[in-house]
Amino acid sequence: MELERLDGFDDPSAKLEQYSTPAPIAAEVLHLAHSRGELEGRVVDLGCGTGVFAVGASLLGSDAIGVDVDPGALETARENASALGAGVEFILGDVEDLELEGDLVIQNPPFGAQSHGADRPFMERAMEAAPVAYSLHNAATRDFVRRHVETRGGRARVEGTYEFPIPRSHHFHRRDVGAVKVDLYRFESEDG
Ligand code: SAH
């Protein structure tokens, strides 16, 4: 209910694949991690957008960090955090250029649909930054995601599949709302 109050993207960029995770789905992912005792330490949200995972992780007791390349999204994320009294550290930058360390990553990155390969640095950074990551990816790319993680020494398990409604926020969407199947993964890595 708290996350339902957060603002989304003012002017979503198609190139950056800016879709907010719906609050009920974000809440479910956060509760899964919380029920496993994984929100105790430092939680890193890569491509945090307007901050739903970072803010939610902070409300559930973690030291949350949100990273995004888009200053406008981060401004909204900061407002969202302060509206809910969440203490999140936000960092402006490209995930490719940052080295971050944490106990857990939670991310809904670009799916690599608009910018081919945009999902790859997120998978790699997630595995480097923490031993465990929850990561959302287009279910159509399941084989690719698994292979990408496994060839880099990690393990990738699908924990569930969600239907993401896609609001008509980009000019190339003809229907009001479409849906895309999205897999929730748990990545485990040795070096994270
Ligand atoms: N995690 C948010 C936003 C998902 S949209 C949520 O679930 O609601 C994907 C986000 O990744 C966008 O905010 C976009 O600006 C950001 N992004 C895309 N490429 C990036 C990059 N190379 N480095 C950092 N952030 C990036």
Side-chain angles (χ1 to χ4, degrees):
M1 282 164 69
E2 292 282 289
L3 298 180
E4 295 276 12
R5 292 169 47 204
L6 300 184
D7 286 333
F9 294 102
D10 281 341
D11 181 18
S13 152
K15 185 165 162 282
L16 292 172
E17 298 189 50
Q18 291 183 327
Y19 301 110
S20 299
T21 303
I25 298 176
E28 210 172 302
V29 175
L30 287 160
H31 278 291
L32 179 67
H34 189 245
S35 70
R36 292 173 173 168
E38 293 168 340
L39 293 185
E40 317 264 301
R42 206 168 135 94
V43 174
V44 182
D45 177 358
L46 300 175
C48 65
T50 54
V52 67
F53 286 112
V55 169
S58 165
L59 294 178
L60 290 171
S62 49
D63 288 327
I65 299 167
V67 176
D68 207 284
V69 75
D70 176 8
L74 279 190
E75 198 181 311
T76 304
R78 283 201 179 93
E79 288 163 9
N80 280 336
S82 74
L84 296 194
V88 179
E89 182 189 342
F90 288 106
I91 300 172
L92 176 66
D94 190 314
V95 292
E96 296 217 46
D97 305 330
L98 293 168
E99 279 190 35
L100 292 158
E101 291 277 333
D103 300 296
L104 184 75
V105 169
I106 305 186
Q107 61 178 3
N108 174 20
F111 294 153
Q114 300 305 316
S115 309
H116 185 68
D119 48 345
R120 293 174 197 186
F122 282 85
M123 290 187 251
E124 289 154 24
R125 283 290 178 264
M127 287 194 286
E128 287 159 16
V132 174
Y134 290 95
S135 192
L136 292 155
H137 297 271
N138 188 338
T141 62
R142 191 178 285 181
D143 291 340
F144 166 73
V145 171
R146 275 222 182 94
R147 223 174 322 116
H148 201 78
V149 169
E150 282 167 8
T151 56
R152 282 157 185 80
R155 279 184 293 165
R157 184 172 83 214
V158 175
E159 301 245 281
T161 302
Y162 298 96
E163 292 252 332
F164 268 45
I166 307 289
R168 185 179 172 169
S169 48
H170 298 310
H171 60 86
F172 53 83
H173 289 145
R174 283 183 298 272
R175 282 180 299 155
D176 268 356
V177 171
V180 59
K181 281 197 168 40
V182 176
D183 285 333
L184 171 66
Y185 285 86
R186 181 185 158 91
F187 299 159
E188 287 177 16
S189 59
E190 304 282 302
D191 61 338

